[in-house]
Amino acid sequence: MSNSFTDLPVDRFLDRELSWLAFNQRVLELAEDANLPVLERAKFLAIFASNLDEFFMVRVAGLKRRIATGIAVRSASGKSPKDVLESIWERAHALQREHAQVFQGEVLPEMRSAGIELLRYEQLTADERDFLDKFFHAQVFPVLTPLAVDPSHPFPYISGLSLNLAVVVRNPVTGNELFARVKVPPLLPRFVALGSQRFVPLEDLMASHLNELFPGMQILQHHSFRVTRNEDVEVEEDDAENLLLALERELMRRRFGPPVRLEVEASIDSYVLELLMSELDVTDSEVFRVPGPLDLTGLWSFVGLDRPDLKQANFVGRTSRQLAEVESSTQPDIFAVVREHDVLLHHPYDSFSTSVQAFLEQAANDPHVLAIKQTLYRTSGDSPIVDALITAAENGKQVLAIVEIKARFDEQNNIDWSRKLEEAGVHVVYGLVGLKTHVKASMVVRNDGDQLRRYCHLGTGNYHPKTARLYEDIGLITCSADVGEDISNLFNVLSGYSMNTEYARLLVAPHSVRTGLIERIDREIANSEAGLPSGIRIKCNALVDEIVIDALYRASQAGVSVEVFVRGICALRPGVQGLSENVKVISILGRFLEHSRAFCFENNGAREVWIGSADMMHRNLDRRVETLVRLAEPVHIAWVNDLFDMAMSPDFSAWSLDSDGVWNRRLHREDGALLADYQETLIARTKHGGASL
C-alpha cells in the first residue's frame, strides 16, 4: 500500500531549503552563461537577487521564528532546525559571493564593452559632476532626511529592503564623533542616468553631497547597508470579524518584523558594522559583506534600456490556432469555437489577450451572458480582467469575484482592487476561512437559445495579463457539461456554505488532489506489476510532499518509469539503487518562468492527463483550494505528452538532478555544439504556426 513507508530509507528526502537555494543557483548559472546576451545575464542577476530577498523574508524568517518559539521540528531530510539554518548560512554566503563576482567580473565588463557604464562618482568628468550636482539639488536633496543617533535621537527604524547610508561625522568644536543614517529614497531612480548609456548609483551621488546634509560637521566616513526583515503575514482568521481589516492591520505590523539579514559593503569600517549589528540585533552569520553597489535588483533598469542588440529577440504570442486558423484583426467568436471543441492554451506562446482576456471581455459585453464567476489570486492594478468584470456588472450581469487577499506580497494590491470591484457592483468574497483560494477558474453562464450553457476556463496561471507574457502556463476553455457542473459546485463551496466534495472531472484540494493522484500512482504500480504499460510524468514548480514522493518511490520500485519536470524545489532523490532508479528529474529555466502543472498517467495505454493549479507541497495540498482538471480530447492529451517528450529528451538543454541532490547542467552535445533550447524551439514553432494545437 502507498501509505505504508516504514521500510523506505530514512535519508530518502533532500532538504527543501537547500533545494530552493539550488534552484537559485540555477538562476545564477543563467547569469553566468556567456552564450546569452549581456542584458539577459543582467536580468538573471536581478532575478537571483529578488529571489534571495524573498527567501530570507519568508523561509529564513519563518525558520528562525520557529526555532525561537521552540516549535521547530526536524525536517523531512533528517536535519535539525539549527543544522538547516547553519547550512543555509553557508550556502547563501557562497551564492551571494558568486553573484557579486559574476556581476563585477563578467557582466559589468561586458556591459562596459557594449557602451553601458555603471560608474562611481569619482570616475565622472567635471561636466558630468556639474550636471549631477544640479540634479541632486533639484530632485534629491529636498527628499532626504538625515537622522542623528545620540542620547536624544534613538537609533531609527530601518525599513525592510531599504538602502541606507551609515554616516560618521565629527563635531569640530567638541571633537565628538557621531553616527547618522540617511535613507536612499526608494521612489527615485536607483541608478541616475548621464545620457542614455552612463549611470551612477544614487547612493554615490548622495554620499558626495553629505557635507550639505551635515553642514558644519566633518564627514569622516560613510557606508551603504541594507536590511531584510521578516515580512511574512499571519492572520488569525478564526478570530477575525472582518478579514479585510485584519489583514490591513497585519500588513502594518509586517513593516516592523525583526531583521534576518544585514548586507553591507565589504569595505565597511568595523566600528560602524558593530554598531549596526548591535542596534539591529543581528549575528555575524546574518551579515553579508559584498562589493558595492548593494541591491542588484536595480539591474532591471538596465534590462529596460533600448538596446535590442544586447537582448534576446522580443517575442509576442499569437492567437491560438484553435481559436483562429489565421491571425486577423477581428477577434474570433470564442463561444462559437468552444461549442465546437475544447480549446487548450499554452501561454505565452498562445496570446493571453486574444484568448482568456477576450473570453471575459466578450462575456462582459454579450447580451446573452447572464452571469460570470471568477477567482482572482494575483492580477495587475490596471487589469483588463478587472475591467471586464466591472463592465459585466455595469451591464447588469451577475458577477462574483472570489478574491484571495492573502496572496503573499500582493495583499495590499488585492485589497485595493477588490474594493474597486465592490464599488462597481461585483459580489466580492474572500474565500474560505483557513484556506487560500489558489484555484484558477472562470465560469460564464450564457443563454444559447436552446439551453443555458456554462463556459469554463481552468488554468495553471493567474489572470494577470502582464505575467502571462513571461510565465509559461496551460489553460483549458470548455463548455463540457461535467466541467461546468463541477465548477458551479466549486464556486458554491467558495461563496456559500456548500460542503460538496464530489466532482466528475476535477480533483479539488484539500479533499482530493493528493488522494486522487496517489490512486492513479497506485494504478500505475498495479499495471506495471501485471505487465501492462505504465508510466508517470509530473510537471510542477515544487515537489516536496512526502506522501506523494513516497508513492513515486513505490512506483519506481515496481518498475514504473517516473519522469519529473520541476522548476524549483525537489525533495525527491532520483537514481538511488533499489529506491528510485526508474525516476528521472530535470529542470528547465529560461526566458519564461516554467509555471504550469501537469500530471500524465500511461494507464495501460488509455492515457490520462490532468492540469491545474496545485504544486506538490503541503501548503497546496492541505491549506489551499486547488483544482486539477482532466483533459478529455485525445489531441490535447497527446500534445501535453509531446511537451514532456521534448523536455526529457537528451537533445534539449536542461539540468538533471542526481542522487546526491546535485543539479548538473546539460548544455552541449558530444561534438561541443549547443543543445537545442526548449523554450526557443517552442518560440520558433509558434512563429512558423506550429506551436499551439
Side-chain angles (χ1 to χ4, degrees):
M1 293 293 290
S2 297
N3 59 354
S4 176
F5 307 122
T6 53
D7 57 336
L8 295 177
V10 294
D11 62 348
R12 62 191 183 277
F13 300 115
L14 298 170
D15 189 82
R16 61 163 292 165
E17 311 300 349
L18 299 182
S19 184
W20 186 94
L21 288 169
F23 155 66
N24 217 26
Q25 181 177 9
R26 299 198 292 282
V27 175
L28 187 54
E29 288 178 27
L30 289 175
E32 294 170 338
D33 189 343
N35 300 300
L36 291 175
V38 68
L39 292 186
E40 299 294 334
R41 300 177 66 184
K43 177 183 75 177
F44 287 115
L45 286 174
I47 292 173
F48 172 94
S50 174
N51 286 347
L52 203 58
D53 286 348
E54 184 171 332
F55 180 70
F56 275 94
M57 287 190 291
V58 178
R59 298 302 306 176
V60 176
L63 182 59
K64 284 188 64 181
R65 185 178 64 243
R66 290 194 295 278
I67 291 173
T69 54
I71 60 172
V73 297
R74 193 170 286 274
S75 70
S77 65
K79 285 177 173 284
S80 72
K82 288 189 176 176
D83 285 345
V84 172
L85 196 55
E86 287 300 319
S87 299
I88 287 173
W89 293 135
E90 181 183 348
R91 195 72 200 107
H93 276 284
L95 283 174
Q96 196 140 4
R97 284 193 298 272
E98 189 177 342
H99 180 243
Q101 193 282 324
V102 174
F103 175 63
Q104 298 284 349
E106 300 181 33
V107 173
L108 201 54
E110 192 177 339
M111 286 170 55
R112 191 179 304 122
S113 299
I116 300 173
E117 295 186 272
L118 179 59
L119 305 160
R120 308 313 295 247
Y121 186 80
E122 55 272 18
Q123 295 175 289
L124 303 179
T125 66
D127 287 346
E128 287 173 332
R129 290 187 187 196
D130 185 53
F131 168 82
L132 282 182
D133 289 347
K134 293 173 181 168
F135 175 82
F136 176 81
H137 292 117
Q139 304 291 330
V140 183
F141 184 79
V143 184
L144 300 180
T145 304
L147 293 174
V149 177
D150 59 32
S152 62
H153 298 84
F155 192 84
Y157 169 76
I158 310 293
S159 53
L161 301 186
S162 66
L163 194 57
N164 303 271
L165 287 178
V167 184
V168 179
V169 299
R170 176 186 288 134
N171 185 323
V173 177
T174 64
N176 290 341
E177 293 187 5
L178 303 163
F179 178 85
R181 168 261 195 171
V182 187
K183 181 176 180 177
V184 179
L187 296 181
L188 295 180
R190 173 72 177 83
F191 298 110
V192 182
L194 290 158
S196 61
Q197 307 289 310
R198 288 164 67 84
F199 300 86
V200 179
L202 180 57
E203 63 271 26
D204 273 23
L205 178 59
M206 290 167 51
S208 67
H209 292 81
L210 286 174
N211 58 334
E212 297 175 49
L213 283 171
F214 302 95
M217 305 296 278
Q218 296 172 347
I219 310 299
L220 299 182
Q221 52 180 302
H222 56 81
H223 310 277
S224 57
F225 70 98
R226 183 171 184 257
V227 176
T228 310
R229 292 181 177 274
N230 177 352
E231 301 215 13
D232 208 6
V233 170
E234 290 182 69
V235 178
E236 296 295 335
E237 295 178 53
D238 290 338
D239 299 331
E241 254 182 50
N242 184 317
L243 183 58
L244 200 69
L245 295 177
L247 187 62
E248 286 184 317
R249 283 197 298 271
E250 183 63 13
L251 289 174
M252 287 296 294
R253 186 208 62 79
R254 181 167 78 179
R255 296 179 56 233
F256 301 99
V260 293
R261 180 179 60 163
L262 170 64
E263 295 170 272
V264 297
E265 286 200 73
S267 59
I268 192 169
D269 177 82
S270 58
Y271 160 72
V272 177
L273 178 58
E274 286 174 15
L275 176 71
L276 290 174
M277 290 174 63
S278 172
E279 293 292 344
L280 294 167
D281 193 22
V282 297
T283 66
D284 193 54
S285 297
E286 294 164 332
V287 177
F288 287 71
R289 299 169 176 82
V290 294
L294 303 180
D295 187 13
L296 294 186
T297 60
L299 291 176
W300 278 111
S301 56
F302 294 101
V303 179
L305 291 175
D306 184 20
R307 289 294 301 269
D309 56 318
L310 304 179
K311 294 185 262 191
Q312 291 174 317
N314 192 28
F315 171 73
V316 179
R318 296 190 172 187
T319 300
S320 165
R321 286 195 298 124
Q322 297 165 89
L323 292 172
E325 281 296 324
V326 180
E327 195 91 21
S328 116
S329 58
T330 306
Q331 288 206 340
D333 181 342
I334 293 179
F335 298 112
V337 172
V338 173
R339 279 194 295 276
E340 295 295 319
H341 55 76
D342 289 359
V343 173
L344 191 68
L345 300 162
H346 194 205
H347 309 296
Y349 311 100
D350 291 327
S351 165
F352 182 86
S353 63
T354 60
S355 56
V356 181
Q357 181 181 323
F359 169 62
L360 287 166
E361 288 173 342
Q362 288 182 15
N365 293 292
D366 185 337
H368 300 292
V369 167
L370 307 176
I372 301 175
K373 299 187 179 186
Q374 175 75 49
T375 64
L376 289 170
Y377 191 77
R378 297 184 200 277
T379 191
S380 52
D382 54 350
S383 169
I385 300 297
V386 171
D387 290 345
L389 296 178
I390 289 173
T391 300
E394 290 172 346
N395 286 339
K397 305 178 194 311
Q398 287 276 336
V399 183
L400 169 72
I402 309 288
V403 178
E404 182 44 75
I405 54 173
K406 301 186 296 297
R408 183 177 284 150
F409 301 128
D410 269 334
E411 299 95 339
Q412 193 60 57
N413 285 338
N414 290 5
I415 288 172
D416 292 343
W417 53 253
S418 61
R419 285 188 167 136
K420 185 177 168 187
L421 286 169
E422 283 180 323
E423 288 167 4
V426 174
H427 300 295
V428 178
V429 296
Y430 304 118
L432 301 176
V433 170
L435 296 172
K436 277 188 180 178
T437 305
H438 193 243
V439 52
K440 325 296 183 188
S442 179
M443 183 179 76
V444 172
V445 182
R446 187 174 190 272
N447 185 347
D448 284 341
D450 56 336
Q451 61 174 300
L452 291 186
R453 190 174 272 121
R454 300 181 183 105
Y455 295 82
C456 300
H457 172 262
L458 282 158
T460 67
N462 295 307
Y463 292 92
H464 195 309
K466 290 180 180 172
T467 59
R469 293 196 286 269
L470 301 171
Y471 287 21
E472 178 271 348
D473 275 301
I474 300 174
L476 174 73
I477 306 180
T478 180
C479 62
S480 152
D482 284 347
V483 174
E485 187 166 345
D486 280 353
I487 294 294
S488 186
N489 287 335
L490 178 61
F491 273 109
N492 288 343
V493 169
L494 293 171
S495 66
Y497 288 119
S498 168
M499 299 290 285
N500 180 69
T501 58
E502 298 296 323
Y503 299 92
R505 268 182 62 184
L506 299 186
L507 297 176
V508 179
H511 295 289
S512 60
V513 170
R514 183 190 282 118
T515 55
L517 291 177
I518 287 177
E519 281 174 15
R520 283 154 182 83
I521 293 171
D522 285 345
R523 187 179 61 194
E524 296 305 311
I525 292 172
N527 284 342
S528 177
E529 291 174 343
L532 300 173
S534 64
I536 300 166
R537 293 172 145 181
I538 295 177
K539 183 178 189 297
C540 57
N541 298 325
L543 176 56
V544 174
D545 188 78
E546 293 85 7
I547 297 174
V548 172
I549 291 174
D550 277 346
L552 295 174
Y553 284 142
R554 292 290 188 197
S556 175
Q557 289 177 323
V560 178
S561 166
V562 178
E563 296 180 319
V564 178
F565 177 1
V566 64
R567 185 190 80 229
I569 306 170
C570 182
L572 184 152
R573 193 186 290 275
V576 177
Q577 193 66 30
L579 177 71
S580 58
E581 64 264 50
N582 294 312
V583 179
K584 182 179 178 184
V585 180
I586 65 116
S587 180
I588 292 176
L589 305 181
R591 64 155 72 185
F592 304 131
L593 186 83
E594 292 293 330
H595 190 253
S596 64
R597 296 91 169 179
F599 305 84
C600 305
F601 300 94
E602 186 62 29
N603 191 26
N604 189 22
R607 287 181 164 179
E608 201 173 278
V609 173
W610 298 75
I611 64 164
S613 59
D615 272 312
M616 297 297 99
M617 304 177 77
H618 304 161
R619 69 178 189 189
N620 300 86
L621 301 176
D622 298 322
R623 302 192 296 275
R624 288 184 173 183
V625 181
E626 307 270 11
T627 58
L628 302 180
V629 60
R630 180 169 52 80
L631 302 184
E633 300 203 8
V635 64
H636 295 163
I637 293 168
W639 178 83
V640 174
N641 274 285
D642 285 347
L643 279 188
F644 275 98
D645 288 343
M646 276 180 64
M648 307 305 293
S649 165
D651 296 332
F652 289 84
S653 60
W655 282 265
S656 61
L657 182 64
D658 69 18
S659 57
D660 294 322
V662 176
W663 289 91
N664 300 292
R665 193 175 188 190
R666 184 179 68 221
L667 189 58
H668 296 95
R669 299 189 316 209
E670 286 186 2
D671 62 4
L674 286 173
L675 287 166
D677 184 282
Y678 171 82
Q679 294 182 351
E680 296 299 327
T681 301
L682 290 175
I683 287 173
R685 288 187 185 180
T686 302
K687 289 178 177 174
H688 293 92
S692 59
L693 290 154

